[in-house]
Amino acid sequence: MSNFGVEVRHLASADREAWEPLWQAYLDFYEQVLPTEVTDLTWARFADPTEPMGGLGAWAGEALVGICHYVLHPSTWSARPSCYLEDLFTTPAVRGRGVGRALIDATASAARRAGAEKLYWQTHADNATARALYDRVACHEGFLVYERPLN
């Protein structure tokens, strides 16, 4: 994004200290609590080339102002993989300034480089702020998401 001046890049090992507060704020937003072991594993997966998971960060100067995590996976509907944008969070101070869009665009670029056919994600129905952006950059296909815990 040019007017706000963010740089989006893959998260590096040295970025953990900057990433973790945004990750925690994202979990807090969705009222979720994860064991430390899951956060540690998630972070380790970003650096593991055998994992189909990636992490991106949006930087405004020295400050990390947004994060995005994605998962590449096979599809029964295509010979090419799909890319699931699993987590997207920007700090409240930069919302509405193009940081979320820059992260989505960077995820789409990473997915294209990996040969993915599509990029998709979900959000809560009442997340009006995020949906305003999503309606500008993608198409809602009308599907509902159901979950069934298996533990």
Side-chain angles (χ1 to χ4, degrees):
M1 187 183 130
S2 59
N3 63 346
F4 184 59
V6 294
E7 174 195 358
V8 177
R9 63 174 169 77
H10 277 90
L11 294 168
S13 295
D15 298 331
R16 169 105 189 227
E17 189 176 324
W19 168 83
E20 199 152 355
L22 274 70
W23 174 238
Q24 188 57 56
Y26 176 75
L27 295 174
D28 292 346
F29 178 81
Y30 281 110
E31 300 176 353
Q32 298 297 308
V33 176
L34 292 179
T36 302
E37 298 79 30
V38 173
T39 292
D40 291 344
L41 178 59
T42 297
W43 182 256
R45 285 175 169 160
F46 297 150
D48 185 342
T50 66
E51 289 284 350
M53 189 178 285
L56 298 169
W59 299 85
E62 298 294 314
L64 183 62
V65 296
I67 58 173
C68 183
H69 309 141
Y70 62 89
V71 181
L72 292 156
H73 64 86
S75 170
T76 59
W77 290 42
S78 172
R80 295 168 51 199
S82 293
C83 183
Y84 176 55
L85 192 163
E86 189 163 11
D87 310 306
L88 175 65
F89 181 80
T90 64
T91 60
V94 301
R95 291 193 185 136
R97 298 176 76 180
V99 176
R101 184 182 197 119
L103 285 162
I104 291 169
D105 289 347
T107 303
S109 292
R112 268 190 220 94
R113 284 191 304 275
E117 179 176 48
K118 72 175 180 177
L119 171 64
Y120 70 101
W121 60 91
Q122 63 184 3
T123 193
H124 199 278
D126 68 0
N127 190 348
T129 302
R131 291 185 71 189
L133 167 62
Y134 301 161
D135 288 343
R136 288 192 306 273
V137 300
C139 298
H140 183 271
E141 298 292 333
F143 287 92
L144 300 174
V145 175
Y146 290 85
E147 283 188 21
R148 181 177 176 175
L150 299 176
N151 34 339

